[in-house]
Amino acid sequence: LSVWCHAQKSASWLRARTPRHTGSDGGTLLGWNPYCNPLKNVWRKFYGEFLENDATAHGNEWEKPAGKVYIDAFQRHLNRLFIEQKSFETGIFHLLGRPIRLSKKRESDRYYLPPHARMWHIGMVVDPFNHWRGVSIDGLVTINGIPLIVVEIKCPYGSQGNTALYISEPMYYIPQGQDGMYAMWRLYPSCIALHRVTYSPIFGLMVDLCAMD
């Protein structure tokens, strides 16, 4: 999988995001972020310096473990669908109402290979058609090599440490996921959905689905 991207937290990532509209800017520029107003966001982007706090440190610590829990759970879900749909006989696997053709090991094989999900951590993606835009998605899920799902991971930090789990996702995060889904769809038209993953080491995993219309 090859895209024009910069690894998160790298020097090139910091340089690339400074002059661009990024996914995390969307909610703030719309006035939905209670922690930062639009003017402050623009000033901090060019002249300020981001200082890590307890909440961001918690998110950075648990993002990769959350991704592992998510992709394992999603693979189990795909395995169940593969059997329920009898895709091992037809070779056609339906996800979100869309057919995905599964490949065989050899032409002589009687049964088709099951869907294999993999999540790629690809860092910041610069929109190849609008270079002023860039998004740092948390993951891109492929099924048998086909890019299909953008993943946005949140690990909320509550007043009692790591015990938080959103009842509903804050509004200022919504544009971030939409930006990521749109940017990846421009690169891979096969991308059909966004999974908003919320994870707590105590309460577990919650996945919200947003399909591409």
Side-chain angles (χ1 to χ4, degrees), residues 27-87:
T28 302
L29 295 178
L30 289 170
W32 295 350
N33 188 346
Y35 306 107
C36 185
N37 63 57
L39 290 177
K40 182 179 178 181
N41 180 73
V42 173
W43 183 92
R44 188 173 65 182
K45 197 173 186 66
F46 287 95
Y47 305 107
E49 181 181 357
F50 179 78
L51 299 177
E52 188 173 70
N53 53 44
D54 290 342
T56 57
H58 174 79
N60 290 334
E61 178 184 359
W62 286 102
E63 183 176 302
K64 285 191 176 181
K68 179 67 167 60
V69 172
Y70 156 77
I71 199 64
D72 288 347
F74 186 54
Q75 181 64 63
R76 291 193 296 271
H77 174 65
L78 294 180
N79 292 342
R80 287 194 297 270
L81 289 180
F82 179 71
I83 296 172
E84 291 170 3
Q85 296 179 12
K86 294 188 176 181
S87 301

Side-chain angles (χ1 to χ4, degrees), residues 99-155:
I100 302 168
R101 183 171 295 278
L102 302 173
S103 61
K104 292 182 178 181
K105 288 183 180 179
R106 298 182 302 273
E107 287 299 318
S108 59
D109 282 349
R110 180 180 177 185
Y111 297 105
Y112 285 81
L113 290 173
H116 173 67
R118 178 177 178 182
M119 186 164 74
W120 302 77
H121 300 278
I122 60 177
M124 180 179 176
V125 177
V126 176
D127 188 331
F129 305 99
N130 298 291
H131 293 178
W132 53 269
R133 296 180 68 250
V135 292
S136 298
I137 66 171
D138 294 324
L140 176 66
V141 172
T142 60
I143 297 179
N144 289 8
I146 304 171
L148 288 169
I149 298 169
V150 175
V151 180
E152 184 65 35
I153 299 174
K154 299 298 180 188
C155 301

Side-chain angles (χ1 to χ4, degrees), residues 154-157 164-170 172-173 197-199 206:
K154 299 298 180 188
C155 301
Y157 185 79
L165 194 63
Y166 293 135
I167 297 175
S168 61
E169 189 173 25
Y172 56 90
Y173 284 146
V197 176
T198 307
Y199 178 76
M206 181 172 68

